[in-house]
Amino acid sequence: MGISAEEFRFVADLIRAEAAIVLDAGKEYLVETRLGPVAHQLGLGTISTLVAELRTRRNPALLTRVVDAMTTNETSFFRDVQPFEHLKRKVFPELIERRRAEKKLSIWCAAASSGQEPYSMAMLLRENFPELAGWRVEFLATDISTQVLAKAREGIYSQLEVNRGLPAPLLVKYFRKHGLEWQVDSSLRSMIQWREFNLASKTFPPMGPFDLIMLRNVMIYFDVPTKRSILGNMRRVLRPDGYLFLGTAETTINVDDNFASDTLHTACYRLKAA
Amino acid sequence: MRALVIDDSAVIRTVLTRILTNLGFEVVQAAHGKEALERLRGGPLPAIALVDWNMPEMNGYEFIRSVRASSEWRDLPLMMVTTETEMEQVVKALAAGANEYLMKPFTPEMVEEKLQILGIKGS
Ligand SMILES: C[S@@+](CC[C@H](N)C(=O)[O-])C[C@H]1O[C@@H](n2cnc3c(N)ncnc32)[C@H](O)[C@@H]1O
């Protein structure tokens, strides 16, 4: 049982208002496959009943479930490899050099999903920059989806997930196996602070400033005005000599020309000198 | 680039061969460790060997130890591809000289990502 065009429009508007995620015509199947199980789990039967429920009254818990279900959380450890090489060879060495006096680093993963990206960075730091042990490293990881955040916080992954992109020596060193699942050890987990955060918030709350922001593979779901507004906000929380990473297929070009790419062939950006 | 696929299951050999061929490798197969050593003796050094753990004649663990103990092949990159999924096994394989460890079942992306970790490309 599909949803009607009218119901689709209602859901699309709702998701756009809540999370800035754009659901173009043709994405009906996505709404059906994602919200069908939610309707079922909540005992509402069909998506139509779920939509009717959303319409009748403001129910924050239900809204959270629906937004959660409509996010795409695809991720993996050391996704795309190359950005992490760039972090290791260039970004962290430069930052450590420049922050040697303050001995403080501030990092933000702004669409952390189930945690593979922040944990990859945490492992990269531990493995390559032991001198940071004596520094204050503030590491914030956020996402709009409470469900993925709960998973990220626990740091528990399936075999399929640890099979993806995670070097075996790091699996052995930083994970423990419980039953069929693998858990990140507590020393890595305690490096990271997890918080719910909607990037589409008009203005960001007081936060940062950050030396490094990861904003990877999330802006693809937004329209250009939203991207522009987010990059504008990012400029305000990024230190003038900081770094911003986008997904490998994403760019600031034609969205916000205050950024320049750091090195060709990486999705690493820096603020142009004012 | 040549890849050596070592597994006693013909199905797994076929699946891995297809994945590696798509990545640009020329694939050589062996059904167990002994046969794999013969393949190594008979041809140029592969860029990578993907090796199952449990096989007749000579298992993957023994194969890895022989390769690492040899003078000609000891630098050959080795990836264990196995249904053994306990931490002790991963530790043991790495200690014996495996460079990577992939747990079955796997997808083509996983194989590709593991090769990327090792910095090994097909063509
Ligand atoms: C495809 S994942 C990317 C994860 C990771 N950064 C990576 O590159 O592998 C996209 C994430 O963005 C989150 N997301 C979507 N809309 C968001 C919003 N408005 N604010 C914050 N996070 C959002 C989703 O919940 C999802 O976890």
Side-chain angles (χ1 to χ4, degrees):
Chain A
M1 10 120 255
I3 56 167
S4 71
E6 208 278 322
E7 285 164 341
F8 174 73
R9 216 169 309 119
F10 175 80
V11 172
D13 288 347
L14 185 71
I15 297 302
R16 191 177 192 131
E18 294 293 326
I21 297 172
V22 178
L23 293 168
D24 288 323
K27 290 282 171 72
E28 287 81 358
Y29 73 94
L30 199 66
V31 175
E32 285 163 14
T33 52
R34 299 277 184 82
L35 294 190
V38 175
H40 183 77
Q41 281 157 22
L42 296 176
L44 294 169
T46 65
I47 300 179
S48 297
T49 319
L50 176 75
V51 171
E53 176 68 22
L54 283 168
R55 272 188 162 137
T56 355
R57 57 205 168 89
R58 185 160 176 92
N59 176 341
L62 180 62
L63 200 55
T64 301
R65 285 290 291 271
V66 168
V67 171
D68 260 8
M70 290 313 302
T71 59
T72 299
N73 311 116
E74 161 84 8
T75 186
S76 59
F77 290 102
F78 297 94
R79 181 171 186 174
D80 301 324
V81 182
Q82 215 205 357
F84 291 91
E85 281 297 306
H86 193 67
L87 283 171
K88 178 168 125 186
R89 291 188 198 293
K90 187 155 186 290
V91 174
F92 283 124
E94 284 179 3
L95 277 174
I96 288 171
E97 196 49 49
R98 275 192 248 122
R99 304 288 185 261
R100 211 168 273 292
E102 351 168 12
K103 286 197 169 8
K104 182 176 169 273
L105 272 188
S106 197
I107 303 168
W108 179 24
C109 271
S113 188
S114 39
Q116 282 91 329
E117 179 175 271
Y119 285 129
S120 299
M121 294 179 67
M123 286 185 272
L124 186 148
L125 287 175
R126 278 286 174 82
E127 288 292 298
N128 300 285
F129 305 99
E131 65 262 50
L132 290 179
W135 288 39
R136 235 176 82 204
V137 179
E138 288 170 355
F139 197 148
L140 174 68
T142 63
D143 200 283
I144 195 176
S145 161
T146 52
Q147 233 161 354
V148 289
L149 275 179
K151 179 183 162 92
R153 213 174 261 126
E154 299 242 281
I156 297 178
Y157 299 96
S158 70
Q159 181 176 308
L160 291 178
E161 290 167 321
V162 298
N163 247 348
R164 296 206 48 196
L166 180 63
L170 298 183
L171 174 72
V172 164
K173 194 162 169 187
Y174 294 106
F175 289 73
R176 299 288 162 268
K177 196 168 184 199
H178 305 296
L180 294 174
E181 297 181 310
W182 301 79
Q183 183 170 32
V184 179
D185 78 22
S186 54
S187 79
L188 274 196
R189 275 185 281 140
S190 63
M191 282 174 72
I192 303 169
Q193 281 189 296
W194 307 93
R195 225 183 294 154
E196 196 183 322
F197 182 69
N198 185 351
L199 285 165
S201 325
K202 276 284 163 289
T203 49
F204 286 8
M207 62 197 309
F210 299 99
D211 299 299
L212 169 60
I213 299 175
M214 305 297 274
L215 182 65
R216 302 175 67 216
N217 303 300
V218 60
M219 300 242 277
I220 33 170
Y221 304 106
F222 306 148
D223 60 20
V224 173
T226 306
K227 288 181 193 178
R228 195 161 284 145
S229 140
I230 292 173
L231 287 177
N233 280 324
M234 289 294 167
R235 272 193 272 129
R236 282 182 274 284
V237 297
L238 183 65
R239 286 182 73 167
D241 61 349
Y243 302 80
L244 170 77
F245 277 78
L246 301 183
T248 308
E250 299 168 317
T251 175
T252 58
I253 297 168
N254 295 331
V255 182
D256 188 329
D257 58 13
N258 294 289
F259 289 94
S261 76
D262 181 42
T263 316
L264 224 55
H265 308 305
T266 64
C268 176
Y269 295 86
R270 307 193 60 183
L271 288 167
K272 289 182 185 165
Chain B
M1 283 292 178
R2 179 178 284 233
L4 177 56
V5 168
I6 314 157
D7 202 303
D8 58 337
S9 151
V11 175
I12 299 284
R13 287 201 303 274
T14 307
V15 169
L16 281 174
T17 299
R18 190 172 308 140
I19 293 170
L20 291 164
T21 308
N22 283 338
L23 293 173
F25 289 92
E26 180 196 327
V27 180
V28 180
Q29 300 187 357
H32 51 72
K34 273 213 176 113
E35 200 173 285
L37 291 177
E38 280 164 34
R39 297 277 183 281
L40 286 179
R41 262 177 227 117
L45 193 70
I48 174 89
L50 289 82
V51 55
D52 183 22
W53 193 306
N54 301 300
M55 296 178 290
E57 300 287 335
M58 179 191 270
N59 70 33
Y61 179 72
E62 291 158 348
F63 172 78
I64 289 176
R65 299 201 20 157
S66 325
V67 166
R68 289 290 177 252
S70 76
S71 51
E72 318 92 291
W73 313 312
R74 65 161 179 240
D75 297 324
L76 172 65
L78 295 167
M79 182 180 347
M80 199 65 126
V81 184
T82 173
T83 50
E84 298 293 340
T85 58
E86 288 311 311
M87 180 65 102
E88 295 71 39
Q89 310 295 98
V90 188
V91 171
K92 191 174 162 188
L94 294 182
N99 303 87
E100 261 308 331
Y101 199 100
L102 182 61
M103 294 177 254
K104 291 175 184 171
F106 55 82
T107 63
E109 294 74 43
M110 290 175 189
V111 175
E112 192 176 351
E113 284 160 1
K114 287 285 182 186
L115 290 169
Q116 222 181 341
I117 291 171
L118 295 174
I120 297 170
K121 285 202 190 83
S123 45

